Amino acid sequence: MENDEAMNDLEKVIDLLCDLIPSHSLRDTCENVVRDIVDFIEKIPKLAFESHYSPRALCSMYNYCTLDCCISDKPEQVHISYTGTYQEMGVTWITRNKDAASLVYGTNATSLTKEVTGVTKTYTDGGWAGFVHHVTINGLEKDTQYFYRVGKGNLVSEVFSFRTEHPVSNSRPVRIAVIGDMGALKESDDTISRLEDMVAKKELDFIIHDGDISYADGFQELWDVFMRKVENIAANVPYMVTPGNHEIGVIGILNVTLGYNHRFTLPGEHSQSNDLENLYYSFDYGNIHFVALDSESTLDTALITDEQLAWFINDLEKVDRSKHPWVIVYFHRPLYCSNGGADCGFFAEYLRERLEHILIKYNVDLVIQGHKHDYERTWPVNSANPIKSYDNPKYPTYVVSGCGGNREGTTSFPSQRPDWSAVAIKDWGYGLITIGNNTHMDWKFYTSSNNELRDQFTLVVDD
C-alpha cells in the first residue's frame, strides 16, 4: 500500500513539472513519458526476484533499449528441425539485416546446386533488432546426407550437413540425446561440449530439449547467445524443443516478448501458435512416435488445457503400433519427482490427474520431463505404485532430465525417497536413448563434466 501511495505521489510531482512546459505538444509528450516510466517502475518489483536481470536487460524488455541480434552481418544461430515428414527439414537462422530467406543445398558439399527460399519475419518487442528466416527443404530422400548453406551473395554461413531418417536396425539404431533446463551461460559448457563431440562423430540422430531453453526469461539477448552456442549441434542434427516455465511463466502475463514462438520451426499448426498455453506437436521417426506437450501457464504453474488434452488423446488414438511400437512423450514439468515442494507435490499431482490415465491407456513407454535440476528415474508406475521391473511393464517409466546446466544450480534430494524412485543423481548431465528394434529401448545417463556413465536401464516389450 505504501509503495502504491509513493508511486501516486511521484506521478503527481512529475505531472506538475510537465504542466510548467509552455508548449502544449511537448506537455502532452511529457505526460505520456511519465505514464510509461510509472508503468515500467511498477513492473520492476515483479521481476526483482530474478537477480540475473541487469538494468540493461530490464531496459530492453520494456522496449526502452535496443538489442542487436548479431555479431556480424552474416547469418548466425542456424538450427534445423523435423517438420513431420522425413521428406522435409526445417531450417531457421538469424540475420541483422532483412536479407532474403534463401539457402542452397545438395548431396555434395562442394556442389550446392539447389536453391530454396522461405519467409522472413521479425519482432521488435523486448528491444530485439534482427530478422528470423524460416526455410523448409522438401523432396528429400530417406537415409541420405545433405549439405546446405544459408544466406546469399557474400553474406553466407559455413556449410552444414544433416542425414535424413534411416531404417532402424540393431546394427544401426536410432540415437537421441535428451537434455533439459540448459541455459546460455557457462554452466552448460560441459554438456554442450559432449553433444558437440557426438554430433561431430555422427553418433546422434537428433536432440530433445524438454524446456527451459537459454533461460532468457524475456531478455532476448540470451536467446542469441544460446543459439550461437549450440549452432554446431543444432545446425547438423534436428533440435526438437518444447516450452518450459522460463519460456512462458510470469514473463508471458507481463506481456514481455518470449522469443520461443518466433525462433523455432516445429511440426504441426499448434507448435507455432500465439496461444502460449497450447504449444504442442507430434512426429514419427523410424519405429517411434514422439509427442511434445506444453505443461506451462503464463502464471508459472503447471497447466494442461482441455484443448491440448483433446488433441493429445486424438493423436495417440491414431498411432499405428504395428508401425510405431514405441511411444515417447516429453514435456517440461514432472508428474513424478521426489525433491519436495509444490513442483513435486501439488503440481505433480495435478499433472498426474490430467495425464496419467491417458498415458497408461495408450501404453506410452517413456515420459521425459525436466524442471527439477537433477536426474531421476522411476520404476514403471501408476498412481505412485511401482512395478519394479522393466520387462513388459504395464505402466510408463518417467525420467527427469533437467540437468543440462543453468545458473540456478542443481537440486537436492531428500534422505528418503518414495518407493517409485529408482535412481536419483544430483549433477549436470544428459540422457541417451538407443532403439534398434521393436522390443528393446536402452536409456543411459552420463554426467557432463567427465562423461561418466551413471545410470542405465533397458525397457523390454513383447513384439
Side-chain angles (χ1 to χ4, degrees):
M1 185 67 179
E2 291 179 359
N3 288 339
D4 291 341
E5 292 177 356
M7 289 301 301
N8 289 334
D9 290 343
L10 175 63
E11 186 174 355
K12 289 177 182 177
V13 169
I14 301 178
D15 277 340
L16 288 173
L17 293 174
C18 289
D19 289 339
L20 298 176
I21 298 175
S23 168
H24 179 74
S25 60
L26 289 177
R27 192 159 60 244
D28 287 343
T29 300
C30 179
E31 290 172 353
N32 289 333
V33 170
V34 170
R35 304 293 177 270
D36 286 345
I37 292 173
V38 169
D39 180 63
F40 177 63
I41 293 173
E42 286 176 339
K43 288 176 178 176
I44 287 177
K46 299 175 184 177
L47 299 172
F49 69 94
E50 297 283 6
S51 59
H52 64 281
Y53 283 134
S54 65
R56 181 166 173 269
L58 290 169
C59 179
S60 66
M61 287 165 66
Y62 290 100
N63 301 310
Y64 291 97
C65 303
T66 300
L67 299 172
D68 185 358
C69 66
C70 304
I71 58 176
S72 76
D73 287 339
K74 289 188 175 183
E76 61 175 57
Q77 306 176 48
V78 183
H79 55 284
I80 63 176
S81 56
Y82 294 123
T83 65
T85 170
Y86 73 86
Q87 296 175 312
E88 295 181 349
M89 189 67 72
V91 186
T92 304
W93 69 95
I94 305 294
T95 60
R96 175 181 287 156
N97 302 309
K98 193 177 181 180
D99 306 322
S102 176
L103 66 79
V104 290
Y105 75 101
T107 54
N108 187 320
T110 61
S111 181
L112 305 177
T113 57
K114 298 180 180 180
E115 183 176 6
V116 187
T117 59
V119 296
T120 297
K121 298 180 180 179
T122 189
Y123 64 98
T124 57
D125 290 344
W128 191 73
F131 294 90
V132 186
H133 308 276
H134 298 292
V135 170
T136 299
I137 307 173
N138 51 40
L140 301 176
E141 299 291 333
K142 267 194 175 184
D143 195 15
T144 303
Q145 184 174 19
Y146 289 93
F147 300 86
Y148 72 99
R149 182 179 63 226
V150 306
K152 205 160 188 176
N154 295 323
L155 300 177
V156 295
S157 70
E158 64 179 272
V159 175
F160 301 104
S161 70
F162 61 85
R163 181 169 288 276
T164 53
E165 179 184 331
H166 62 80
V168 177
S169 66
N170 288 326
S171 61
R172 199 168 168 214
V174 178
R175 289 168 58 89
I176 308 143
V178 176
I179 53 174
D181 299 76
M182 190 171 79
L185 306 182
K186 59 183 176 60
E187 293 83 3
S188 63
D189 288 354
D190 287 340
T191 304
I192 288 174
S193 177
R194 302 302 175 189
L195 297 175
E196 282 182 331
D197 184 59
M198 286 188 287
V199 169
K201 293 176 179 177
K202 304 199 181 303
E203 295 176 346
L204 290 178
D205 291 293
F206 62 95
I207 292 172
I208 290 173
H209 190 151
D210 62 337
D212 284 4
I213 311 154
S214 85
Y215 280 70
D217 287 309
F219 182 29
Q220 301 306 304
E221 186 171 84
L222 282 183
W223 275 114
D224 298 321
V225 171
F226 180 83
M227 297 311 298
R228 282 194 290 267
K229 192 171 182 178
V230 300
E231 184 180 67
N232 286 337
I233 302 165
N236 293 294
V237 297
Y239 201 80
M240 308 304 291
V241 300
T242 195
N245 57 300
H246 285 275
E247 280 74 63
I248 305 298
V250 179
I251 53 175
I253 203 167
L254 291 179
N255 294 317
V256 176
T257 294
L258 306 180
Y260 175 91
N261 51 338
H262 295 284
R263 291 174 177 259
F264 295 99
T265 304
L266 297 163
E269 59 179 332
H270 301 289
S271 68
Q272 306 298 315
S273 171
N274 287 321
D275 182 347
L276 304 178
E277 296 174 341
N278 284 292
L279 293 166
Y280 46 86
Y281 61 91
S282 67
F283 66 99
D284 300 321
Y285 187 104
N287 58 348
I288 316 163
H289 182 69
F290 293 90
V291 185
L293 298 180
D294 181 352
S295 62
E296 303 307 310
S297 80
T298 56
L299 295 173
D300 199 4
T301 62
L303 176 67
I304 301 292
T305 65
D306 290 343
E307 175 187 332
Q308 182 174 196
L309 204 63
W311 173 89
F312 184 39
I313 293 170
N314 184 59
D315 181 83
L316 292 176
E317 285 180 343
K318 293 178 179 178
V319 178
D320 182 347
R321 297 304 279 261
S322 66
K323 295 180 179 178
H324 304 105
W326 296 108
V327 176
I328 297 175
V329 177
Y330 58 98
F331 47 87
H332 186 60
R333 290 183 187 257
L335 272 71
Y336 285 95
C337 58
S338 65
N339 310 95
D343 290 327
C344 301
F346 174 79
F347 291 133
E349 291 171 5
Y350 162 80
L351 289 171
R352 290 200 294 270
E353 188 275 328
R354 295 289 277 170
L355 294 174
E356 191 170 31
H357 64 288
I358 300 170
L359 297 167
I360 292 169
K361 178 180 178 180
Y362 292 99
N363 299 309
V364 170
D365 299 291
L366 180 67
V367 179
I368 299 168
Q369 314 158 117
H371 196 53
K372 307 308 292 182
H373 302 161
D374 54 50
Y375 170 80
E376 186 168 20
R377 164 171 62 88
T378 73
W379 295 105
V381 60
N382 175 22
S383 301
N385 297 309
I387 297 174
K388 295 192 175 183
S389 171
Y390 294 105
D391 291 342
N392 290 300
K394 296 185 292 184
Y395 310 135
T397 298
Y398 298 81
V399 172
V400 171
S401 184
C403 46
N406 61 72
R407 62 173 180 263
E408 295 180 350
T410 52
T411 310
S412 298
F413 292 97
S415 56
Q416 296 292 322
R417 304 195 318 277
D419 200 32
W420 46 256
S421 178
V423 175
I425 298 171
K426 180 186 176 183
D427 208 342
W428 299 133
Y430 64 92
L432 183 64
I433 298 171
T434 304
I435 298 177
N437 54 50
N438 293 348
T439 60
H440 291 71
M441 178 195 299
D442 293 323
W443 169 278
K444 294 180 179 179
F445 174 76
Y446 297 85
T447 49
S448 297
S449 59
N450 56 9
N451 217 31
E452 178 186 355
L453 176 62
R454 297 287 299 278
D455 183 42
Q456 61 182 321
F457 74 97
T458 299
L459 187 60
V460 181
V461 299
D462 290 332
D463 193 355

